[in-house]
Amino acid sequence: TLSIIKPDAVERNLIEEIKQEFKNKGFNILKEKKIKLEKSEAEKFYKVHQSKPFYNDLCSYLSSGPIVVMILERESAVVENRKLMGATDPTKAEEGTIRKKYGISIDKNSVHGSDSLENAKIEIDFFFKD
Ligand code: CDP
Ligand code: MG
């Protein structure tokens, strides 16, 4: 699956702590890189959300500072990563999840994770195809 540590978490120096959360749940980090997206790249990445009212703010935010993109491997990686991340809104996320622990708000929710195997492939290609 593809995981992103978003700008709010990178800014608060949470990279190593969040990577440890994945490792504790049996994920191997196969590849990772720290990058900063152009807004146009964020718009491409979040294209599925282009009709949503939060699309513009979301793309500005994702391109507002450095992020860490990672390929995470384990059995049932997509589903297990979504469980570990918790609900989109940190106030609704379960105890022990990354978004509950580190998320600031529904937009600054610290991590992204692919929502299906199909999208995982697309998202991995987006960042690591070269
Ligand atoms: O990230 P996740 O798959 O849980 O949620 P999404 O529905 O695919 O939305 C993508 C991202 O848009 C979220 O992670 C939030 O950062 C942001 N978002 C927002 O800012 N306001 C909302 N009402 C919903 C989502
Ligand atoms: Mg999503």
Side-chain angles (χ1 to χ4, degrees):
T1 193
L2 184 98
S3 171
I4 303 178
I5 303 177
K6 294 183 174 182
D8 66 277
V10 172
E11 189 175 76
R12 287 175 289 148
N13 295 313
L14 293 170
I15 296 172
E16 290 310 316
E17 234 174 293
I18 291 177
K19 278 167 63 180
Q20 196 57 50
E21 297 275 347
F22 295 124
K23 292 177 194 167
N24 290 346
K25 293 285 179 188
F27 288 93
N28 297 317
I29 301 171
L30 293 185
K31 287 189 182 176
E32 65 171 289
K33 59 182 178 184
K34 191 177 183 183
I35 55 173
K36 188 184 170 302
L37 296 182
E38 295 299 329
K39 188 167 180 200
S40 59
E41 296 172 307
E43 285 168 351
K44 203 174 157 203
F45 179 73
Y46 273 132
K47 207 169 177 18
V48 294
H49 292 306
Q50 65 184 327
S51 63
K52 309 273 173 61
F54 57 83
Y55 179 66
N56 186 54
D57 287 347
L58 174 61
C59 297
S60 296
Y61 164 64
L62 193 71
S63 57
S64 67
I67 59 174
V68 177
V69 293
M70 294 168 288
I71 302 176
L72 300 182
E73 175 194 63
R74 64 155 280 173
E75 204 183 299
S76 306
V78 169
V79 172
E80 291 302 322
N81 181 42
R82 295 291 306 193
K83 277 192 213 161
L84 175 56
M85 287 163 58
T88 307
D89 181 348
T91 66
K92 295 185 178 130
E94 275 183 57
E95 223 43 71
T97 62
I98 293 175
R99 283 168 163 172
K100 177 72 177 187
K101 280 190 197 169
Y102 306 109
I104 295 170
S105 56
I106 191 162
D107 48 329
K108 295 182 174 174
N109 57 10
S110 303
V111 282
H112 166 84
S114 309
D115 62 4
S116 66
L117 199 52
E118 190 192 359
N119 284 334
K121 287 178 182 145
I122 294 168
E123 293 177 357
I124 287 169
D125 270 0
F126 183 88
F127 287 110
F128 291 99
K129 197 172 187 174
D130 25 36

